[in-house]
Amino acid sequence: GNSVTQMEGPVTLSEEAFLTINCTYTATGYPSLFWYVQYPGEGLQLLLKATKADDKGSNKGFEATYRKETTSFHLEKGSVQVSDSAVYFCALSDGGTGTASKLTFGTGTRLQVTL
Amino acid sequence: DAGITQSPRHKVTETGTPVTLRCHQTENHRYMYWYRQDPGHGLRLIHYSYGVKDTDKGEVSDGYSVSRSKTEDFLLTLESATSSQTSVYFCAISEPRTPYEQYFGPGTRLTVT
């Protein structure tokens, strides 16, 4: 079956530091890949997505590139802010459009950014 | 914010009692989902719905049932709650054009004692 593995947290960084959160996946076929973010006390929000190999998803300064050869989708940001403190989830979907999408999530990585 | 509410937001119940959680949306989205979030497991899909009265099981459906009698409401029922069902439950919605772009509700924290 499908699975997503992401690095253990928590990750603690100083403001303006470079961020990488690793994510690798196992799936049959050609899944779509996502990063969701969960701020304290809230539900998850879609941060970025990539639907085919070599696509780069980006949003709010975050980027991730769909690497089929290494089955990876690492999240990066060049300069983190305190407001980026949250839990980040890598996820995949093997469904297409027109059908309900069953997402498979990683366990989440907590990021804490300090001044 | 997507118009998704969950009720109750917090609940404490005893083992063996039935519990129903409600998800209500004002977006008229076709697909609705129930997840549970547990430390070390991320989010896991319990059940989902692809239309009124159309539901299917997810990864961790044992001990749970769902119903969807109208587009805006998706109910999750624990017929006889157990301590292993202590968790945070999230409802999500999505549309056929972008089903993977799921909008999540604020969650319900359920404690079974």
Side-chain angles (χ1 to χ4, degrees), chain A residues 19-40:
Chain A
L19 168 71
T20 300
I21 300 178
N22 290 337
C23 171
T24 58
Y25 68 89
T26 301
T28 55
Y30 303 95
S32 296
L33 302 174
F34 315 93
W35 279 99
Y36 276 79
V37 59
Q38 184 180 30
Y39 298 102

Side-chain angles (χ1 to χ4, degrees), chain A residues 46-49 57-63 77:
Chain A
L46 180 64
L47 179 60
L48 54 83
K49 65 181 185 288
S58 61
N59 186 26
K60 300 181 181 180
F62 291 90
E63 294 182 338
K77 187 175 185 184

Side-chain angles (χ1 to χ4, degrees), chain A:
Chain A
N2 297 338
S3 67
V4 175
T5 301
Q6 53 183 113
M7 62 188 290
E8 294 278 335
V11 174
T12 303
L13 295 173
S14 298
E15 200 170 46
E16 299 184 0
F18 185 87
L19 168 71
T20 300
I21 300 178
N22 290 337
C23 171
T24 58
Y25 68 89
T26 301
T28 55
Y30 303 95
S32 296
L33 302 174
F34 315 93
W35 279 99
Y36 276 79
V37 59
Q38 184 180 30
Y39 298 102
E42 299 183 8
L44 278 70
Q45 304 172 26
L46 180 64
L47 179 60
L48 54 83
K49 65 181 185 288
T51 56
K52 62 182 186 296
D54 299 325
D55 269 2
K56 177 185 283 189
S58 61
N59 186 26
K60 300 181 181 180
F62 291 90
E63 294 182 338
T65 301
Y66 187 165
R67 302 286 189 199
K68 192 171 188 302
E69 63 278 11
T70 55
T71 62
S72 65
F73 192 55
H74 305 321
L75 181 68
E76 297 181 337
K77 187 175 185 184
S79 176
V80 294
Q81 306 299 312
V82 172
S83 57
D84 293 327
S85 298
V87 181
Y88 293 82
F89 292 91
C90 186
L92 69 81
S93 168
D94 59 3
T97 58
T99 64
S101 183
K102 292 185 283 185
L103 294 174
T104 300
F105 287 89
T107 54
T109 301
R110 182 176 300 279
L111 170 65
Q112 184 166 355
V113 181
T114 59
L115 290 171

